[in-house]
Amino acid sequence: MENENVTTPLSTGEGAVGETKKLSLISFSGEFDKLTAVFTLATGAAAVGYEVNIFFTFWGLDAIKVKQGRSFVGGTWLTKIFGFMMGGLKATPTSRFNFCGAGPKIFRKLMKKNNVATLEELVEAAKALGINFYACEMAMHVLGLKKEDFIPEVKDVLGVASFLKLSEGGRTMFI
């Protein structure tokens, strides 16, 4: 069955009909392997011409913070503790086999050994490919974060309704 949301060429070769190919990802997890999946799917889709939108919410927001290591980011003492515990992109744990923080280091080493882009390289590729980054407004309020806490590539802060409207006409995945 053909997806009506994917651009397909006309049988005469005159061009494309339908809507633009679009992939929207909801990044909920701040775990190394899940973030790697988000950025692998995003960069792969962007590389073949998809419009890609990533909506970072709760622990997924960790991937787009300006401060990449452990830092006390947030408005209150409690949200600052959350900010420190989350740790930023460079301190993100794996969902399994974290080995007290050694898991991501092992994965990075294996990725480099096998010529696979690391999480940090995938994030840089996503920026270079013009992938749209969005931060979840509600999660930011809960965690005491401001737009200034995020990398400049974050296009906007959105609520769920706005993200759903933005995602319309494409595929949406939750990771």
Side-chain angles (χ1 to χ4, degrees), residues 23-44:
L23 176 63
S24 296
L25 300 163
I26 300 167
S27 179
F28 174 78
S29 173
E31 295 167 323
F32 178 87
D33 43 325
K34 293 176 184 174
L35 287 170
T36 300
V38 166
F39 284 100
T40 299
L41 287 165
T43 56

Side-chain angles (χ1 to χ4, degrees), residues 73-88:
V73 178
T76 67
W77 69 269
L78 186 57
T79 58
K80 287 181 183 193
I81 295 294
F82 273 131
F84 182 80
M85 289 172 53
M86 287 172 56

Side-chain angles (χ1 to χ4, degrees), residues 12-175:
T12 60
E14 293 176 16
V17 295
E19 295 184 33
T20 303
K21 296 185 291 184
K22 185 189 305 187
L23 176 63
S24 296
L25 300 163
I26 300 167
S27 179
F28 174 78
S29 173
E31 295 167 323
F32 178 87
D33 43 325
K34 293 176 184 174
L35 287 170
T36 300
V38 166
F39 284 100
T40 299
L41 287 165
T43 56
V48 295
Y50 278 66
E51 173 190 325
V52 181
N53 304 299
I54 307 176
F55 184 68
F56 296 91
T57 187
F58 282 96
W59 314 129
L61 288 167
D62 221 22
I64 55 172
K65 284 184 181 173
V66 170
K67 295 183 179 178
Q68 294 296 303
R70 296 198 182 278
S71 61
F72 292 100
V73 178
T76 67
W77 69 269
L78 186 57
T79 58
K80 287 181 183 193
I81 295 294
F82 273 131
F84 182 80
M85 289 172 53
M86 287 172 56
L89 191 64
K90 294 189 189 252
T92 186
T94 53
S95 62
R96 299 186 69 191
F97 308 116
N98 192 45
F99 303 120
C100 298
K105 291 178 178 91
I106 293 167
F107 277 109
R108 283 180 179 96
K109 184 177 180 178
L110 289 171
M111 292 166 99
K112 285 184 181 187
K113 179 181 177 187
N114 290 290
N115 294 318
V116 173
T118 64
L119 176 56
E120 291 79 9
E121 291 168 336
L122 289 167
V123 172
E124 289 306 312
K127 293 174 185 178
L129 288 165
I131 290 171
N132 301 309
F133 295 172
Y134 298 97
C136 175
E137 181 178 36
M138 186 265 309
M140 286 174 57
H141 288 304
V142 170
L143 296 171
L145 299 169
K146 299 176 282 208
K147 190 163 192 286
E148 301 81 52
D149 294 323
F150 301 109
I151 58 176
E153 289 81 6
V154 173
K155 196 170 186 176
D156 204 356
V157 174
L158 302 176
V160 172
S162 296
F163 178 71
L164 290 173
K165 185 173 181 175
L166 181 90
S167 301
E168 201 171 293
R171 301 231 176 206
T172 301
M173 297 174 69
F174 184 94
I175 299 175

